[in-house]
Amino acid sequence: MAIGFPLSLLVRKLESSALLSDEERRAIEGLPVATKIVPAHQDIVSDKEQTSRCCLVLEGWACRYKMLHEGRRQILSLHVPGDIPDLHSLHLEVMDHSLGALSQVTVGFLPHEAIRDLALRFPHLAGVLWRETLIDAAIFREWMTSLGRRDAYKRLAHLFCEMYVRLDVMGLVSDHSYRLPITQVDLSDALGLSNVHINRVLQELRHQELITLRGGVLTINKWPELAEAAEFDTTYLHLRSRPAA
Amino acid sequence: MAIGFPLSLLVRKLESSALLSDEERRAIEGLPVATKIVPAHQDIVSDKEQTSRCCLVLEGWACRYKMLHEGRRQILSLHVPGDIPDLHSLHLEVMDHSLGALSQVTVGFLPHEAIRDLALRFPHLAGVLWRETLIDAAIFREWMTSLGRRDAYKRLAHLFCEMYVRLDVMGLVSDHSYRLPITQVDLSDALGLSNVHINRVLQELRHQELITLRGGVLTINKWPELAEAAEFDTTYLHLRSRPAA
DNA sequence: CGCATACTTGAAATGTTTCAAATCGGGTGG
DNA sequence: CCACCCGATTTGAAACATTTCAAGTATGCG
């Protein structure tokens, strides 16, 4: 459904955290979009690049990441439909990291010029987009907290909770389940752990029956217990309505 | 000097990454500021708070941090004169972390209303402020990379490099030295390590004569070696002119 | 069927933490 | 001006979470 109307996905996303007027909604839906399918494990935008458009994720999972010497990778963020992972490129001329496809990803490209024009015509919308980048940063802060001060078990539990809420907002959760189209190596690079250890912690979560993960589908069996274990609190996602979960 | 003209500090900071017109400069310098001295180890803004003003650091070091259960603390960012650590509060109604004074700090309070008015009158300035929050996020990304994928030695070396460059931009470096008015415990909470380990790694950096740290003054004796060890690259700070160092 | 990729397992090595105690240093009051 | 005190730093040793290495087993796809 969503791919037929890429911009309605964006509207839904923005409305999860801010209020839009009819006029603003229409203006967004009038943006020019060029869609493209990017195969898994391929860069959408690379480190050091300068771009003149933003990427709207329409389908699949993307991530931002940094590589460092000896081939170590840190995944900085995960992106699902509705996200604009490189909205910052509007005001930062050069990329300080890469944006890559974790699964196969359908992206919609939005020209900077069109977004800037929108922001000038609708100052409130400019604020909404700014806000979007601020929520992005709020998520970074929560991840830093995980990376710095939570053990592996809590880190993984926290990530599962976060993705649950973010996907739920976009209507991508049903039966307490969502598609998790990424590997254990990806998880380990997101959480600053080794893939071996992710594997063991995953089993622990399974044995306690907090989650089920089979065939790329994650099910949260006991939300209260999982959220409790992760010390998960949605405040940092800055949603308009607190999710029930 | 700086405290007499708090807003010239802000101008200097903004001009480190963007160009301002004379008119914009004057407009900034016309902002209303209320200054206040906050003693060390005291909150400037607390988690969950809603504010109607932003804090400009004028003197001393502040930090943003999250507390989690069992009293663990993660410091999310360090802030030095010229920084506006809570510029995000302009568009995010509730704080998802705290802002505290590490040393004694002089802050200037800027009413949201005055900043919003400025942004409406000068759309380009709005972009410059937005950009400022994006650089803030870029620093988070670099810290995440440290927390997730760099060992203790590199983490500490990287932090020292970053603060060197950021302070240099504000004219707070001389003789390859800057004031480091924070404790080893603070460093450990910023880098996701224990204070004991910070202490040992600090000694390692000293024994290799990359740095000197005495009486709250850090001197970088061998910049090239330190930057090399940290894999430090200034790109993520998005400065207008690449620093020579 | 065969190959590649992802996942799983075990055992040893490692970086970092914890605990506990000792030392340093700067400021205060006697 | 010295004695004292507190917070910050330093040290050693044992414990621990996590990594590395290496091999094995599933799983999916052409």
Side-chain angles (χ1 to χ4, degrees):
Chain A
M1 74 102 191
I3 309 305
F5 306 96
L7 290 163
S8 64
L9 255 184
L10 178 57
V11 167
R12 177 170 188 156
K13 176 64 192 283
L14 296 179
E15 286 190 316
S16 74
S17 78
L19 286 166
L20 300 181
S21 70
D22 288 349
E23 204 188 357
E24 289 169 338
R25 234 187 320 266
R26 273 195 303 278
I28 291 169
E29 280 165 354
L31 282 170
V33 211
T35 74
K36 182 185 170 187
I37 293 179
V38 181
H41 313 124
Q42 192 171 300
D43 272 4
I44 303 168
V45 186
S46 299
D47 201 4
K48 312 279 178 199
E49 230 180 280
Q50 303 192 226
T51 61
S52 55
R53 58 190 190 182
C54 291
C55 304
L56 170 64
V57 177
L58 300 173
E59 221 175 22
W61 284 34
C63 76
R64 288 188 279 174
Y65 67 93
K66 293 207 190 211
M67 295 298 311
L68 18 102
H69 304 170
E70 328 117 42
R72 299 176 88 87
R73 174 176 71 152
Q74 178 63 44
I75 289 182
L76 307 163
S77 57
L78 294 175
H79 295 283
V80 297
D83 288 349
I84 305 181
D86 62 346
L87 188 48
H88 56 85
S89 65
L90 210 56
H91 291 287
L92 253 26
E93 34 292 305
V94 56
M95 289 286 286
D96 55 46
H97 60 276
S98 300
L99 171 61
L102 251 17
S103 66
Q104 180 183 98
V105 170
T106 310
V107 285
F109 292 111
L110 311 172
H112 281 173
E113 203 159 334
I115 303 177
R116 284 209 188 88
D117 176 62
L118 198 72
L120 283 175
R121 275 165 44 224
F122 300 93
H124 172 253
L125 255 188
V128 170
L129 291 174
W130 186 348
R131 181 184 163 89
E132 213 54 39
T133 64
L134 295 173
I135 295 173
D136 194 52
I139 295 174
F140 288 151
R141 288 192 289 271
E142 194 63 43
W143 281 41
M144 287 179 60
T145 307
S146 274
L147 288 167
R149 290 294 183 221
R150 285 198 254 257
D151 65 23
Y153 185 84
K154 288 189 174 196
R155 268 184 237 189
L156 190 53
H158 199 281
L159 184 72
F160 287 157
C161 288
E162 175 182 314
M163 296 319 292
Y164 183 97
V165 172
R166 287 172 57 192
L167 288 164
D168 193 28
V169 153
M170 296 305 294
L172 295 171
V173 168
S174 57
D175 264 343
H176 300 154
S177 305
Y178 57 86
R179 289 225 62 225
L180 187 79
I182 68 177
T183 68
Q184 293 184 7
V185 170
D186 296 330
L187 284 173
S188 68
D189 284 341
L191 299 177
L193 298 163
S194 70
N195 57 341
V196 172
H197 200 54
I198 281 288
N199 183 279
R200 297 196 231 262
V201 172
L202 212 36
Q203 289 177 52
E204 214 181 323
L205 282 170
R206 283 198 265 235
H207 285 139
Q208 303 190 225
E209 298 184 322
L210 297 184
I211 62 152
T212 311
L213 176 54
R214 242 198 345 261
V217 173
L218 181 91
T219 306
I220 297 186
N221 301 317
K222 304 181 181 171
W223 174 268
E225 286 83 348
L226 189 68
E228 166 72 19
E231 296 181 32
F232 182 75
D233 174 343
T234 61
T235 307
Y236 74 100
L237 293 172
H238 296 277
L239 297 170
R240 209 148 45 78
S241 58
R242 213 51 76 73
Chain B
M1 75 106 191
I3 309 305
F5 306 96
L7 290 162
S8 64
L9 255 184
L10 178 57
V11 168
R12 176 168 189 159
K13 175 63 191 286
L14 297 178
E15 286 189 317
S16 73
S17 77
L19 285 166
L20 300 181
S21 70
D22 288 349
E23 204 188 357
E24 289 169 339
R25 235 187 319 267
R26 272 195 303 278
I28 292 170
E29 281 166 352
L31 282 170
V33 212
T35 74
K36 182 186 171 187
I37 293 178
V38 181
H41 314 123
Q42 192 172 302
D43 272 4
I44 303 168
V45 186
S46 300
D47 201 4
K48 312 281 179 200
E49 228 179 281
Q50 303 191 223
T51 61
S52 55
R53 58 189 191 182
C54 292
C55 305
L56 170 64
V57 177
L58 300 173
E59 220 174 25
W61 284 34
C63 76
R64 289 188 280 174
Y65 68 92
K66 293 206 191 211
M67 294 300 309
L68 17 103
H69 305 170
E70 326 117 43
R72 299 176 87 85
R73 173 176 72 152
Q74 178 63 44
I75 289 182
L76 306 163
S77 58
L78 294 176
H79 294 284
V80 297
D83 289 348
I84 305 182
D86 62 347
L87 187 47
H88 55 85
S89 65
L90 209 55
H91 291 288
L92 253 27
E93 33 293 306
V94 57
M95 290 286 286
D96 54 46
H97 60 275
S98 301
L99 171 61
L102 252 19
S103 66
Q104 181 183 96
V105 170
T106 311
V107 285
F109 293 112
L110 311 172
H112 282 172
E113 204 160 331
I115 303 177
R116 285 210 187 87
D117 176 63
L118 197 73
L120 283 175
R121 274 163 47 223
F122 301 92
H124 172 254
L125 254 188
V128 170
L129 292 175
W130 186 347
R131 181 185 163 89
E132 213 53 40
T133 63
L134 295 172
I135 295 173
D136 193 52
I139 295 174
F140 288 152
R141 288 193 289 272
E142 194 62 43
W143 281 40
M144 287 179 61
T145 308
S146 275
L147 288 167
R149 289 296 184 222
R150 286 198 254 258
D151 64 24
Y153 184 84
K154 290 189 173 198
R155 266 184 239 189
L156 189 54
H158 199 281
L159 185 73
F160 286 157
C161 289
E162 176 182 314
M163 296 319 292
Y164 183 97
V165 172
R166 288 172 56 192
L167 288 164
D168 193 28
V169 153
M170 296 305 295
L172 294 171
V173 168
S174 58
D175 266 340
H176 300 155
S177 305
Y178 57 86
R179 288 224 64 224
L180 187 80
I182 67 178
T183 67
Q184 293 184 9
V185 170
D186 296 330
L187 284 173
S188 69
D189 284 342
L191 298 177
L193 298 164
S194 69
N195 58 341
V196 172
H197 200 53
I198 280 288
N199 182 278
R200 298 197 229 264
V201 172
L202 212 35
Q203 289 177 53
E204 213 180 323
L205 281 170
R206 284 197 263 235
H207 285 141
Q208 304 191 222
E209 299 184 323
L210 297 185
I211 62 153
T212 310
L213 176 53
R214 241 198 345 261
V217 174
L218 181 90
T219 307
I220 298 186
N221 301 317
K222 304 181 180 171
W223 175 268
E225 286 82 349
L226 189 69
E228 167 72 19
E231 297 180 33
F232 182 75
D233 174 342
T234 60
T235 308
Y236 75 99
L237 293 172
H238 297 276
L239 298 171
R240 212 147 44 79
S241 59
R242 212 52 75 75

